């Protein structure tokens, strides 16, 4: 029996990123343009979108353009943005935060959240199928996607509305606990029987040493074992979270076979996105050398703060009577149509076709457009000299590094950072002179002639 596959830990489909959320307009040389355009390549989730919106000055406009390599990830990003934009009269900040984090980081969710997810998906189906020349909502713009991509999105949302998620054409529903355990066994191999010790080692010797000391041992071990990261309220977490499922193609007896399962991260954790950094220093207090608050507590506080910022930025603030309206206990009435979501002043998010990166340099509309271009750790190989065509003269290139890819050793991590610098320079970018010491992101600016 093998010792396992180290490369399997990070997975091949990113449902969350391998870095904390950041305001991309202030990561590296600050961008002060009153109308900023940001291109995200493979970010996996809307963490940077939410953080950047929260830090955007009043009267400034922001247009975020999103490219992903997987259609299920696009569907999931749309769902997370839908939840973030739910109006206060339909769902209060506390409940919205709980639902958001539960769907974001849990392989299994409670029935209440599952019902809400199904109703939200039904509204997103309408949004995608009605999208033609114009978006039904500026923050959920799928008008530039190909027809087949929108059809695929509608199919995914339709699957999410079903009581039981099963592989098309097969009557047997997928059991998430088995899908998760399969990944853990593949990753650990002969170490599976001592998996608790492996989990502790990865947490204490890796995550804690890399700056993730807020991640609590019990919560991390529970997530590693079964995929439930956030237990925020009473209830049984046993309903499959369909947003965790996607297809992966395997070679089998000379044929290509698509297998539906969980193919995301099983090592680094969803705590990285919102749970290990905070501006609220009271959340970082320690007692006897141990943090009083956990990454779950910090995630809740950070998400609530982001939602508050979005609420404050809506184009048409609610009247006092609307603000006092008590949220309904009926999940169907809580989930509103896409048009009834919060419309944020000067904010738009556009989803681009999955092959857009190679075609954008050839289109005049994207010439010198982007003030910030972000590449995830899994998409660095897509950096190319053609990017100079779409980057603004004073653009900032932000590349996520491999710090939180736990299966890499220090030498491999340094090698990856060096490779990123080489690829960036070959693509016409140079290390930023204003770059701060940061081993999470590499910051570049266009080379000066």
């Amino acid at each position: 029996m093998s010792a396992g596959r180290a490369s399997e830990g990070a997975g091949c489909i990113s449902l969350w990123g391998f870095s904390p959320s950041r305001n991309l307009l202030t990561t590296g040389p600050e961008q002060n343009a009153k109308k900023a355009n940001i291109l995200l390549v493979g970010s996996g989730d809307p963490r940077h979108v939410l953080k950047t919106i929260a830090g955007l000055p009043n009267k400034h406009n922001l247009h975020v353009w999103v490219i992903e390599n997987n259609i299920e990830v696009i569907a999931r990003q749309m769902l997370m943005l839908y939840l973030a934009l739910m109006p206060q009269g339909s769902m209060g900040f506390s409940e919205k935060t709980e639902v958001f984090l539960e769907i974001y980081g849990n392989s299994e969710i409670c029935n209440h959240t599952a019902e809400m997810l199904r109703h939200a998906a039904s509204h997103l189906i309408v949004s995608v199928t009605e999208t033609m020349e114009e978006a039904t909502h500026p923050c959920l713009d799928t008008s530039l996607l190909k027809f087949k991509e929108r059809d695929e999105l509608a199919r995914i949302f339709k699957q999410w509305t079903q009581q039981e998620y099963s592989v098309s054409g097969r009557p047997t529903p997928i059991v998430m606990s088995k899908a998760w355990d399969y990944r853990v066994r593949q990753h650990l191999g002969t170490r599976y029987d001592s998996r608790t010790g492996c989990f502790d080692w990865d947490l204490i010797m890796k995550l804690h040493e890399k700056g993730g000391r807020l991640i609590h041992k019990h919560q991390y071990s529970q997530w590693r074992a079964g995929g439930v990261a956030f237990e925020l309220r009473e209830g049984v977490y046993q309903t499959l979270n369909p947003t965790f499922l996607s297809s992966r193609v395997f070679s089998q007896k000379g044929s290509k076979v698509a297998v539906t399962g969980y193919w995301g991260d099983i090592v680094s954790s969803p705590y990285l996105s919102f749970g290990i950094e905070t501006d609220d220093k009271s959340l970082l207090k320690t007692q006897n050398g141990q943090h009083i608050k956990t990454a779950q507590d910090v995630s809740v506080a950070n998400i609530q703060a982001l939602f508050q910022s979005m609420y404050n930025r809506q184009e048409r603030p609610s009247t006092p009577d609307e603000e006092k309206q008590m949220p309904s206990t009926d999940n169907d009435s809580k989930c509103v149509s896409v048009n009834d979501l919060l419309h944020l002043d000067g904010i738009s998010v556009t989803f681009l076709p999955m092959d857009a990166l190679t075609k954008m340099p050839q289109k005049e509309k994207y010439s010198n457009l982007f003030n910030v271009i972000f590449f995830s750790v899994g998409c660095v190989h897509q950096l190319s000299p053609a990017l100079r065509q779409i980057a603004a003269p004073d653009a900032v290139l932000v590349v996520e590094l491999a710090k939180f890819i736990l299966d890499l050793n220090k030498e491999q991590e340094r090698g990856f950072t060096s490779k990123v610098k080489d690829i960036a320079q070959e693509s016409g970018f140079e290390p930023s002179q204003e770059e701060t010491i940061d081993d999470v992101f590499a910051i570049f600016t266009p080379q000066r002639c």
Side-chain angles (χ1 to χ4, degrees), residues 322-338:
E322 288 175 326
E323 291 182 2
K324 293 177 182 178
Q325 179 184 342
M326 291 298 292
S328 168
T329 57
D330 179 15
N331 287 331
D332 194 13
S333 60
K334 283 183 178 183
C335 294
V336 300
S337 72
V338 170

Side-chain angles (χ1 to χ4, degrees), residues 37 91 131 136 185 223 259 263 270 294 324 354 394 417 441:
N37 287 278
M91 191 188 302
T131 295
T136 53
R185 288 178 181 272
W223 173 77
V259 179
W263 308 115
T294 68
K324 293 177 182 178
M354 290 185 287
D394 59 348
T417 301
F441 302 101

Side-chain angles (χ1 to χ4, degrees), residues 171-183:
T172 305
I174 293 174
V175 179
M176 176 53 82
S177 59
K178 292 184 178 180
W180 188 277
D181 187 64
Y182 168 79
R183 288 287 316 287

Side-chain angles (χ1 to χ4, degrees), residues 128-176:
V128 170
T129 54
E130 287 184 350
T131 295
M132 293 300 290
E133 296 301 322
E134 295 184 0
T136 53
H137 191 286
C139 289
L140 294 168
D141 184 0
T142 57
S143 62
L144 297 183
L145 293 180
K146 298 176 181 178
F147 284 108
K148 63 179 181 180
E149 291 172 331
R150 294 210 292 268
D151 288 343
E152 188 67 8
L153 278 176
R155 181 193 65 79
I156 292 169
F157 291 137
K158 185 176 181 180
Q159 280 188 316
W160 290 359
T161 64
Q162 298 171 0
Q163 290 286 338
E164 289 187 334
Y165 188 110
S166 60
V167 181
S168 178
R170 298 182 185 178
T172 305
I174 293 174
V175 179
M176 176 53 82

Side-chain angles (χ1 to χ4, degrees), residues 429-445:
F429 294 85
E430 60 188 9
S432 170
Q433 295 181 353
E434 299 179 33
E435 180 180 8
T436 57
I437 299 175
D438 190 342
D439 52 1
V440 180
F441 302 101
I443 312 298
F444 304 91
T445 53

